[in-house]
Amino acid sequence: MFSGEADLNVLIVEDSLRLRESLGRGLGASGFAVDTAANGIIACQHLDTYEYELVVLDLGLPGMDGLSVLRHIQGRTSRPRVLVLSARD
């Protein structure tokens, strides 16, 4: 699913299939290379495998929450920008 041909590689981390697919289609149609993950564990696997310029991150994830993913990103040498999506106050 990873495509290195676009100018900006984006990882969408969202447990809602509908929202994840919608964001992926929209960003993909705009020329971004998009990977998706439904939970924090898969997101960290992607982050350890590929380089991303941007992560769109939901905080309320199953298994490993978004704050844990943020801590994982902070521990990396290469840190993408993160846009947090959340229904939390």
Side-chain angles (χ1 to χ4, degrees):
M1 181 153 78
F2 182 79
S3 170
E5 299 299 318
D7 291 336
L8 187 67
N9 297 322
V10 178
L11 176 62
I12 299 170
V13 187
E14 170 59 57
D15 60 327
S16 164
L17 176 63
R18 185 174 178 184
L19 183 53
R20 188 173 63 244
E21 288 180 344
S22 178
L23 287 169
R25 277 193 306 273
L27 290 171
S30 296
F32 297 98
V34 178
D35 282 343
T36 63
N39 63 57
I41 295 166
I42 295 171
C44 289
Q45 291 170 347
H46 279 294
L47 289 161
D48 290 342
T49 304
Y50 305 110
E51 293 293 322
Y52 295 98
E53 286 78 30
L54 176 66
V55 176
V56 179
L57 179 64
D58 180 17
L59 292 182
L61 298 168
M64 174 188 271
D65 69 6
L67 292 177
S68 296
V69 175
L70 279 173
R71 282 191 288 278
H72 182 82
I73 290 170
Q74 289 174 333
R76 298 178 43 80
T77 304
S78 171
R79 288 182 282 196
R81 289 186 165 91
V82 178
L83 174 64
V84 173
L85 295 179
S86 180
R88 295 181 185 179
D89 289 340

